[in-house]
Amino acid sequence: MTETVNASYDVVIVGGGHAGAQAAIALRQRKFTGTIAIIGDEIYPPYERPPLSKDYLAGAKSFERILIRPESFWSERVVSLLLGKTVVGVQPDARHVELADGQRIGYKHLIWAAGGAPRRLNCQGADLGGIHSVRSRADVDRMIAELPGVEQVVVIGGGYIGLEAAAVLSKFEKAVTVLEAQDRVLARVAGEPLSRFYEAEHRAHGVDIRLGVAVDRIEERDGMASGVRLADGTLLACDMVIVGIGILPTVRPLIDAGAEGDVGVRVNEYCETSLDDVYAIGDCATHRSSYADGALIRLESVQNANDQALTVAKLLTGTRDTYDAVPWFWSNQYDLRLQTVGLSTGYDEVVTRGRSADRAFSLIYLREGRVIALDCVNSTRDYVQGRALVVERAAIAHGILSDPALQLKDLAVDRRAAGLPLG
Ligand code: FAD
């Protein structure tokens, strides 16, 4: 029996976030003339997620200003936005996806760009009112609506998103406490000196940072969170809880359809999954990275979403270029702009350039004497110039890297020009 489909497109993109939007944009930029549909379960056209914990939460940017493209762009470029629709199944043999409303949408090429869903607390009280994630516009709008009645906020998770939200809410003069299970904030993504710097900054702004603590349960009053009870019995009274403990990639329909992967969907250097003509990009895609010593990783960044989208757009327009872009990321907290390049995981040495007391400095991470990453705080010049050192995996002595009189750009060797191996 042939299954009927309700509509078919040459390219179906599941997920209207950074990666999905950028894939459609790049396809049209590269003169792809086939039909394209983006299926997204949010009701909004594609928007930028980073401002959600920064300027959008702070009220400094309207929703229109965080749209990835003006609304008219999509119809002008003939990209069909099927919004408010959730893909629940993939039939790779029949080449269609199934929506929660029962519709089937056929594809020639399927780009899976479904991102991830926030990890939820797994304790008593986790479903009470007043507990928020920071992943979507809807999440943040709900939070903003509650804020006028809120005095005390507990942020669970000392990662970038939790810390950014804490910075904004402390400016709103809320009493903010950040709870972190590890012995330092940003433990998963940054070196210890950076963690200690941000802990001190937050404390100086009145944020109560508590390290090495475990949440036992959320206390309730009239169906709303009224406090966070720690494992040692301490009660932190609050009227709002923000949970920033990471995401779980949204990959179930694709894995059920037979794609290789587990926590993320496994892709090769062209972002191809193990299923024919099915690609995965962005937060949900696990790939091997030369910047992680060839390890399988998943990156959660705009850079990764955009560059993987471009890789697939190139592939579908006849250019087979591998994805090997240098990872970069940023975070804004108070008047501090952090810019990172490379991946510091596995570093065995950190060099500090400049003084953290000046609130403008860089940390340069090395492994076996080679530069693998930089974290630059209010030091855009180091960030821009240090990129070449990361790409080269430059071997440079500690004393030279830390010398602020020397510019990083003067330390980079053009390895190609010098006929030296890259990496
Ligand atoms: P997403 O942007 O999450 O898009 C996925 C879309 O797919 C979502 O709209 C989702 O609802 C939809 N979807 C999921 N499942 C389905 C389904 N079954 N059917 C249909 N649609 C579905 N990165 C940086 O580089 N710098 C930053 O400063 C930074 N700050 C951030 C701050 C916040 C608050 C957040 C949440 C993220 C931040 N990031 C930052 C990370 C960055 O936003 C993500 O890496 C990026 O959004 C990933 O893009 P994506 O398209 O893979 O996923």
Side-chain angles (χ1 to χ4, degrees):
M1 192 180 79
T2 9
E3 292 173 330
T4 51
V5 294
N6 300 79
S8 277
Y9 299 86
D10 294 309
V11 175
V12 167
I13 299 169
V14 178
H18 276 274
Q22 195 55 43
I25 293 167
L27 279 168
R28 288 299 184 229
Q29 278 170 345
R30 297 181 61 80
K31 313 285 182 230
F32 179 80
T33 54
T35 52
I36 304 175
I38 296 178
I39 307 174
D41 61 1
E42 294 184 75
I43 56 173
Y44 309 108
Y47 61 89
E48 294 171 28
R49 244 163 258 281
L52 293 179
S53 49
K54 308 178 181 76
D55 286 351
Y56 185 72
L57 177 61
K61 268 191 183 169
S62 65
F63 185 65
E64 283 60 42
R65 285 186 59 205
I66 68 169
L67 286 172
I68 288 178
R69 288 290 185 276
E71 230 175 315
S72 56
F73 172 91
W74 305 104
S75 51
E76 284 161 17
R77 299 296 192 287
V78 202
V79 174
S80 303
L81 293 185
L82 311 182
L83 300 178
K85 308 229 173 254
T86 306
V87 172
V88 293
V90 178
Q91 295 297 337
D93 296 333
R95 291 191 178 237
H96 67 241
V97 297
E98 293 161 352
L99 307 187
D101 64 10
Q103 285 190 69
R104 295 190 176 116
I105 309 290
Y107 65 81
K108 279 192 194 145
H109 300 277
L110 177 65
I111 303 177
W112 192 266
R119 282 183 57 214
R120 297 169 59 82
L121 289 175
N122 181 17
C123 65
Q124 189 185 323
D127 296 325
L128 291 167
I131 302 182
H132 300 271
S133 305
V134 194
R135 182 72 193 176
S136 65
R137 177 195 182 180
D139 291 339
V140 178
D141 283 352
R142 271 192 296 271
M143 200 187 299
I144 290 171
E146 281 180 25
L147 274 177
V150 166
E151 288 175 4
Q152 293 167 296
V153 182
V154 172
V155 177
I156 300 178
Y160 284 122
I161 290 176
L163 292 180
E164 287 177 350
V168 171
L169 296 183
S170 75
K171 271 199 230 158
F172 287 166
E173 308 207 331
K174 309 291 177 193
V176 183
T177 303
V178 174
L179 305 179
E180 170 54 53
Q182 310 273 327
D183 61 0
R184 60 185 177 95
V185 299
L186 302 174
R188 201 173 56 87
V189 287
E192 181 162 356
L194 196 79
S195 302
R196 300 300 177 216
F197 173 77
Y198 275 98
E199 287 161 10
E201 280 294 326
H202 280 276
R203 286 179 173 138
H205 283 87
V207 174
D208 180 1
I209 302 264
R210 303 211 183 181
L211 304 171
V213 292
V215 172
D216 179 50
R217 61 181 184 272
I218 312 296
E219 302 285 355
E220 164 180 4
R221 191 186 317 117
D222 303 329
M224 300 294 287
S226 63
V228 177
R229 177 80 63 183
L230 302 183
D232 68 3
T234 309
L235 176 67
L236 299 164
C238 63
D239 351 78
M240 176 179 277
V241 177
I242 296 176
V243 182
I245 54 173
I247 62 163
L248 288 173
T250 305
V251 295
R252 183 47 47 208
L254 211 50
I255 300 289
D256 287 349
E260 261 177 44
D262 39 55
V263 176
V265 182
R266 179 74 195 274
V267 297
N268 65 12
E269 63 273 41
Y270 303 105
C271 299
E272 295 167 311
T273 70
S274 59
L275 300 174
D276 286 346
D277 298 316
V278 180
Y279 316 87
I281 56 177
D283 285 11
C284 65
T286 304
H287 62 280
R288 242 176 238 297
S289 170
S290 64
Y291 292 95
D293 228 8
L296 281 174
I297 59 165
R298 225 174 27 75
L299 289 174
E300 294 170 16
S301 71
V302 169
Q303 168 276 317
N304 177 67
N306 286 347
D307 287 336
Q308 289 193 325
L310 183 59
T311 301
V312 173
K314 283 183 173 172
L315 196 61
L316 298 188
T317 51
T319 303
R320 223 171 148 74
D321 265 359
T322 56
Y323 171 66
D324 193 27
V326 59
W328 54 264
F329 187 83
W330 76 95
S331 173
N332 299 341
Q333 295 166 50
Y334 308 108
D335 58 346
L336 301 168
R337 181 159 177 82
L338 170 71
Q339 293 166 291
T340 82
V341 58
L343 300 175
S344 59
T345 335
Y347 69 90
D348 51 30
E349 195 184 350
V350 193
V351 176
T352 307
R353 209 176 134 77
R355 289 177 350 120
S356 59
D358 297 335
R359 305 178 84 248
F361 66 101
S362 301
L363 297 177
I364 306 181
Y365 298 88
L366 297 104
R367 188 171 51 229
E368 293 166 9
R370 290 178 176 276
V371 176
I372 55 167
L374 285 90
D375 284 338
C376 307
V377 176
N378 290 344
S379 301
T380 297
R381 191 169 68 178
D382 280 357
Y383 164 73
V384 171
Q385 297 185 357
R387 171 183 294 253
L389 301 182
V390 173
V391 172
E392 286 180 4
R393 279 75 154 174
I396 301 174
H398 190 295
I400 294 178
L401 285 172
S402 62
D403 183 351
L406 297 172
Q407 289 203 37
L408 294 181
K409 74 173 162 46
D410 298 328
L411 307 180
V413 178
D414 188 336
R415 298 185 80 82
R416 248 181 260 277
L420 296 169
L422 291 166

